[in-house]
Amino acid sequence: MRAPARVGDDTAHDTAVDAVDLRSDTLTRPTPAMRQAMAEAEVGDDVYGEDPTLVALEERVAELLGHEAGLFFPSGSMANMVGVRLLVPPGTELLADVTSHVLRAELGGHAALGGVSSRTWSDGVVDGTNRARRLDAAVPLALMAPDAGPYLVSTAAVAVENTHNFGGGTVQPLTELELLRAGTAEAGVAVHLDGARLWNAHVAAGVPLATYGRLADTVSVCLSKGLGAPVGSVLVASRERIAQARVLRKRYGGGMRQAGVLAAACLHALDHHVGRLAEDHARARRIAEACHAAAPGSVDPRDVETNIVVLATGDRPGAEVAALAAGKGVRVSSLGPRMVRVVTHLDVDDADVDRACEVLAAVLTG
Ligand SMILES: *Cc1c(COP(=O)(O)O)cnc(C)c1O
């Protein structure tokens, strides 16, 4: 476990924080080198378009994802809300998986602020474990009603999540994404990609980021999760759409000022923290194997492709299992009545994983 660090203070550590914290990859703290990059960032007022570090980040992420332009956001939820709103006029609908972050974890923002109507489909079996939620393109394609006339709601866009958070960090199959792109394009329906963890999909599957990026009209990515930046998401799209996004972001209260200090952290993360996600994936797999060995029904290690492990807790409530593990110094999150989520990240090392394997195996069999 990495101690919290401050610039110029290599010895700083917080003895109160000695639990292994696997609740989320949003818990990462900026490294000393990242803080140094933030301290040295060149900045300006971004509402005037004058923050050079922010502009550099937006251009870099757009290029990585094969899009014309990018826009920085203070959260992934806001990036998703603006991205979807660009594609879905008020009163028309977005289709998404029933456990998607856009519909389940953004507090109804798409409806409340954007006037977006929605319908859901279900990837895989909703059995309380939600394992392996892989896209089957035929399902949303069959659900689409692009030109429903004056009686039913018309479909404007489909949202896909890659990796799929509540599905256990699943990487969406490229062939299904291609089928979805072809089928929606033919019907005049747009695609939004919630790529909060697209970096993990890219590293796990070896698929270039731009290959994923080009299969959607708008793409959001988070720099504040496994990549370890303290704040920040980027939305990419066409130049024209990003110009509209800039207006919407300001209207939603998200105009940025000297945010180059944040962008510097994101650029540092892109330089240093993408390839290492493979370590997080190997550690998550190790946790899954230990849990499977102790309680075979809890997880199939083959479903664990990235940094998220969803464990079925059998007859015991997820909250009870999470509390027992916390009592033994390993924090995980209770995600549903009978499941917990375990997430590896930048601040978790091999010794932490050894401890997590031991505690979770004991708790699952106890
Ligand atoms: C974390 C996350 C987001 C964005 O979350 P914020 O907390 O708003 O930054 C979006 N989509 C998915 C799949 C996520 O896991």
Side-chain angles (χ1 to χ4, degrees):
M1 170 178 5
R2 195 162 52 77
R6 295 168 192 96
V7 172
D9 179 3
D10 292 338
T11 61
H13 61 276
D14 182 349
T15 48
V17 189
D18 69 348
V20 177
D21 204 337
L22 302 167
R23 287 172 301 161
S24 174
D25 47 7
T26 55
L27 297 162
T28 52
R29 291 152 306 182
T31 61
M34 183 181 278
R35 287 171 188 253
Q36 195 69 44
M38 296 172 76
E40 290 166 2
E42 204 184 321
V43 298
D45 189 329
D46 183 57
V47 170
Y48 292 84
E50 291 174 4
D51 189 307
T53 312
L54 205 49
V55 171
L57 174 70
E58 290 168 344
E59 285 176 355
R60 180 160 168 195
V61 175
E63 195 185 326
L64 279 173
L65 292 167
H67 280 256
E68 283 176 1
L71 190 67
F72 184 79
F73 282 84
S75 74
S77 297
M78 197 192 276
N80 279 336
M81 264 185 276
V82 170
V84 166
R85 177 62 189 80
L86 291 172
L87 307 177
V88 183
T92 65
E93 74 183 2
L94 175 74
L95 304 182
D97 172 63
V98 70
T99 61
S100 64
H101 194 283
V102 289
L103 295 184
R104 194 179 176 216
E106 297 178 5
L107 304 191
H110 297 266
L113 304 177
V116 171
S117 187
S118 59
R119 265 188 308 146
T120 54
W121 78 84
S122 181
D123 282 328
V125 185
V126 183
D127 60 356
T129 61
N130 290 329
R131 278 179 286 179
R133 301 192 76 83
R134 291 189 186 88
L135 174 69
D136 174 355
V139 177
L141 289 176
L143 206 57
M144 282 187 318
D147 194 5
Y151 187 63
L152 297 172
V153 178
S154 294
T155 309
V158 176
V160 188
E161 193 171 308
N162 196 14
T163 65
H164 195 306
N165 180 354
F166 298 127
T170 319
V171 178
Q172 300 297 4
L174 186 57
T175 48
E176 295 301 319
L177 294 170
E178 286 167 346
L179 286 170
L180 182 73
R181 183 55 160 175
T184 49
E186 202 178 315
V189 168
V191 175
H192 174 72
L193 170 58
D194 177 356
R197 295 186 183 80
L198 195 64
W199 320 103
N200 298 80
H202 157 66
V203 167
V207 173
L209 288 162
T211 301
Y212 285 133
R214 291 196 183 101
L215 295 172
D217 299 284
T218 50
V219 185
S220 68
V221 289
C222 284
L223 287 303
S224 59
K225 298 206 162 145
L227 295 197
V231 172
S233 284
V234 177
L235 178 74
V236 303
S238 67
R239 213 174 296 288
E240 192 188 336
R241 285 204 171 105
I242 289 300
Q244 294 173 275
R246 190 170 261 280
V247 173
L248 287 170
R249 184 187 64 172
K250 183 79 160 63
R251 187 169 293 148
Y252 288 0
M256 295 282 116
R257 300 293 180 182
Q258 287 73 18
V261 285
L262 301 175
C266 296
L267 286 165
H268 180 88
L270 289 176
D271 287 338
H272 300 284
H273 297 167
V274 178
R276 66 150 305 286
L277 291 173
E279 295 173 31
D280 295 347
H281 301 172
R283 288 177 178 133
R285 178 65 79 100
R286 197 145 73 76
I287 291 171
E289 280 163 0
C291 292
H292 177 76
S298 62
V299 61
D300 182 343
R302 287 169 304 183
D303 287 340
V304 177
E305 298 171 295
T306 61
N307 67 326
I308 298 176
V309 185
V310 171
L311 297 173
T313 55
D315 298 336
R316 319 237 305 284
E320 184 187 312
V321 168
L324 283 171
K328 295 173 189 288
V330 174
R331 304 183 76 180
V332 300
S333 49
S334 160
L335 260 208
R338 296 278 185 268
M339 74 184 194
V340 296
R341 190 187 67 170
V342 182
V343 188
T344 56
H345 53 77
L346 186 60
D347 289 7
V348 171
D349 61 20
D350 285 325
D352 295 330
V353 169
D354 289 342
R355 190 161 159 207
C357 288
E358 198 180 308
V359 166
L360 292 171
V363 164
L364 285 169
T365 49

